[in-house]
Amino acid sequence: MVPFREKKIPLLLYILTCLTTTGAGALLSGHNPFSSIEEFLSGLPYAFSLMLILTAHEAGHFLVARRYGVDSPLPWFIPAPTLVGTFGAVIRLPRLPGRKVVLFDIALAGPMAGLVPSIIALAIGIHLSGSLSGPVTPSSGLEIGDSLLFKLMTSILIPPHSGEATLILSPVGFAGWVGLLVTSLNLIPVGQLDGGHLFYALFGARVFRIIRWGIFPLLLVLGWVGWKGWWVWALLLFVMGPQHPPVADHEERLPRSRIAWGWAAILIEILIFVPVPLRIH
């Protein structure tokens, strides 16, 4: 059990993040969260959806770590006055597990746990979304990017139109889109991101070293041709440290079941990665 004194800050941050995501949801719904309590509460569908996704992600890490007897603190959710209302959440193990299979399972649990509610929220959100006939002239506003999975889901869930139409994604759908984006960012194989742990356990230190240094030029190119936020993300990852600390049993080989899950995670990353997440007109 986590002592109550160690729960105070995580609990406070969680409550604050619920408030900031509700405010962001109200803005996404076209309301002023500061005008009245009713306007503020209009952001609850978005906040509930996004917090469910982020909570599932962090709970996946926490519960699997505890299952293996690995000491794990509660996650810290980060409230922020941004478009999405948060900078996500972090959970940092005091020390890494000594076995690759344990490291792999803990790292995989978060993205897989968050992936399911993200897809559900996106599916519901697409159903609740509206559309405008014909192309929209990008004079002002925010345009979100498509992943392969997003394109597939919209093609299945949206009835075919006689002409071109623009999807106006609902707040719940946007929460699902954010959840998939967060999962995609976490699966980048660098440092101590979930993807870093997975690739280190799956391919070993030598191959991981090659992959991680290949990621930075890719992010710089993506920032040059598309979203400039990739430059910020590359800098942040470099400051955090691109390397991965060695585990005690670095010669351990993963069982075939984990290797299959590892390749499944790579496929999922390909399906949900968004080269240009945002365009502001």
Side-chain angles (χ1 to χ4, degrees):
M1 294 294 291
V2 180
F4 178 73
R5 65 179 179 276
E6 297 181 14
K7 298 179 181 178
K8 291 181 180 179
I9 294 179
L11 179 59
L12 176 61
L13 290 174
Y14 190 86
I15 293 173
L16 290 175
T17 306
C18 288
L19 294 176
T20 54
T21 52
T22 302
L27 291 172
L28 290 168
S29 302
H31 299 94
N32 182 357
F34 302 105
S35 62
S36 67
I37 187 63
E38 289 79 11
E39 297 267 300
F40 177 77
L41 293 179
S42 67
L44 281 178
Y46 166 80
F48 177 81
S49 302
L50 183 58
M51 291 304 294
L52 177 63
I53 293 167
L54 297 179
T55 301
H57 183 116
E58 298 305 323
H61 289 315
F62 182 83
L63 294 175
V64 173
R66 288 303 175 101
R67 174 177 173 269
Y68 278 112
V70 176
D71 184 26
S72 174
L74 290 172
W76 285 25
F77 287 76
I78 307 174
T82 60
L83 173 69
V84 300
T86 177
F87 285 137
V90 294
I91 183 170
R92 193 171 185 87
L93 299 178
R95 57 186 177 85
L96 292 181
R99 297 183 57 207
K100 283 185 179 180
V101 68
V102 177
L103 178 67
F104 181 91
D105 287 354
I106 295 174
L108 183 68
M112 294 300 103
L115 181 68
V116 175
S118 295
I119 293 176
I120 293 174
L122 184 57
I124 295 174
I126 290 174
H127 178 72
L128 297 174
S129 299
S131 61
L132 295 176
S133 299
V136 175
T137 303
S139 57
S140 63
L142 178 69
E143 179 184 356
I144 62 174
D146 296 340
S147 65
L148 294 175
L149 180 62
F150 185 86
K151 290 182 177 180
L152 177 63
M153 292 181 64
T154 52
S155 66
I156 293 174
L157 297 173
I158 297 178
H161 293 80
S162 56
E164 188 176 358
T166 300
L167 179 69
I168 308 300
L169 195 61
S170 68
V172 172
F174 184 63
W177 181 88
V178 171
L180 291 178
L181 178 64
V182 169
T183 302
S184 173
L185 294 176
N186 272 282
L187 286 175
I188 294 177
V190 174
Q192 296 199 52
L193 293 177
D194 296 335
H197 295 316
L198 290 173
F199 273 67
Y200 177 88
L202 189 62
F203 297 111
R206 183 176 300 176
V207 175
F208 172 74
R209 191 178 302 115
I210 298 173
I211 294 174
R212 84 177 186 221
W213 286 116
I215 291 297
F216 288 99
L218 176 60
L219 294 179
L220 294 178
V221 170
L222 287 174
W224 179 265
V225 301
W227 183 52
K228 298 300 186 288
W230 289 122
W231 290 348
V232 178
W233 189 245
L235 177 61
L236 179 62
L237 292 178
F238 186 81
V239 171
M240 291 171 59
Q243 67 279 359
H244 191 284
V247 297
D249 188 3
H250 61 277
E251 297 293 338
E252 178 189 8
R253 293 187 178 183
L254 294 180
R256 291 182 178 179
S257 60
R258 302 312 197 282
I259 294 175
W261 274 109
W263 284 105
I266 293 173
L267 176 60
I268 290 170
E269 173 70 345
I270 294 172
L271 290 175
I272 65 177
F273 185 78
V274 185
V276 185
L278 298 173
R279 292 188 180 91
I280 300 177
H281 302 291

